[in-house]
Amino acid sequence: MSPFTGSAPRTREWEHLRLTLDGAVATVTLARPDKLNALTFGAYADLRDLLAELSRTRSVRALVLAGAGRGFCSGGDVDEIIGATLGMATDALLDFNRMTGQVVRAVRECPFPVIAAVHGVAAGAGAVLALAADFRVADPSARFAFLFTKVGLSGGDMGAAYLLPRVVGLGHATRLLMLGEPVRAPEAERIGLLSQLTEEGQADAEATRLAHHLAAGPALGYAQTKALLTAELDMPLAAAIELDAATQALLMNSADYAEFHAAFTGKRPPAWQGR
């Protein structure tokens, strides 16, 4: 995403989520604990716009996506979204579904790593938000459920049918998206859905620790790695190798590449600049 901004001022307060900044680490908390952080139209829009704003600042180097209360996110609010969509015209429904997909694209395309800290339930859209993150850190009692067929819709919502087979393979993805049955954290780790399984109650802390570790690293190298992982999913090998070569040639002119050599020869840790 481009760092260049127009005339609109930066948003000072977000109505549908909570943003905290700790140095180069941002934490975005879904904050409707009484509703298991069920998403509303406004929550989707805030996530889409916040990720775009943070991407333009270039001061954020890692982001933790968390949920307040007893769970990560129970998906779309039954009354405020599912009930409301029953009365919407096709053009409005298309706008809404495009918006939910824009949130997933924003997670995948932002130039910093995103770590989902999952405890309790991650269901429906909540499961896809976690899926879209670069890392998924979860408590042993966490559970994931792609519930879309349970409400009569396609399991391929918000890019789930694209992302999930690439994370866990087609067989597991077919089972999870077709049946919509919950998968608890130990099985999620076994099939490759989790990046890290923590001790109970430690997902938020471990996700934050990982975020600070990443934020202290070579941010430009991380950003380009994330971009290549997404871009090369559908590329033939020859095109992927050529894109890798062009990317490495650019990064070999970066300050961080020179800093590694200076640190190595000076027998000291690198002081990464992210440029």
Side-chain angles (χ1 to χ4, degrees), residues 73-272:
C73 176
S74 60
D77 188 287
V78 173
D79 295 321
E80 294 192 38
I81 287 187
I82 297 179
T85 53
L86 293 174
M88 292 168 62
T90 301
D91 60 340
L93 291 169
L94 184 57
D95 285 341
F96 164 63
N97 283 284
R98 282 174 171 163
M99 176 176 67
T100 66
Q102 287 164 0
V103 174
V104 170
R105 285 191 60 186
V107 174
R108 292 303 317 144
E109 294 175 3
C110 62
F112 41 76
V114 176
I115 304 105
V118 182
H119 69 285
V121 65
V128 183
L129 286 178
L131 172 65
D134 301 291
F135 300 88
R136 284 159 295 283
V137 178
D139 286 351
S141 60
R143 59 193 186 278
F144 299 80
F146 297 86
L147 296 174
F148 306 107
T149 60
K150 296 284 191 180
V151 301
L153 297 177
S154 163
D157 195 28
M158 298 172 62
Y162 178 89
L163 292 171
L164 193 58
R166 289 162 169 80
V167 174
V168 302
L170 180 60
H172 290 305
T174 300
R175 172 172 60 95
L176 298 182
L177 295 182
M178 196 82 73
L179 298 178
E181 300 295 341
V183 177
R184 296 194 176 274
E187 183 187 0
E189 182 186 39
R190 179 179 64 80
I191 65 177
L193 184 56
L194 289 190
S195 310
Q196 181 181 351
L197 185 62
T198 72
E199 298 295 327
E200 189 61 40
Q202 293 301 306
D204 284 3
E206 283 299 311
T208 299
R209 183 200 61 77
L210 176 58
H212 280 282
H213 172 75
L214 290 164
L220 186 59
Y222 290 155
Q224 291 307 116
T225 301
K226 177 172 180 172
L228 292 179
L229 283 167
T230 298
E232 293 181 12
L233 286 172
D234 297 314
M235 281 186 182
L237 178 60
I241 287 175
E242 180 62 21
L243 184 57
D244 286 353
T247 301
Q248 295 296 53
L250 288 171
L251 290 179
M252 284 174 178
N253 277 314
S254 71
D256 278 348
Y257 186 65
E259 168 60 14
F260 165 76
H261 186 260
F264 182 82
T265 56
K267 301 186 185 325
R268 60 173 176 80
W272 304 114

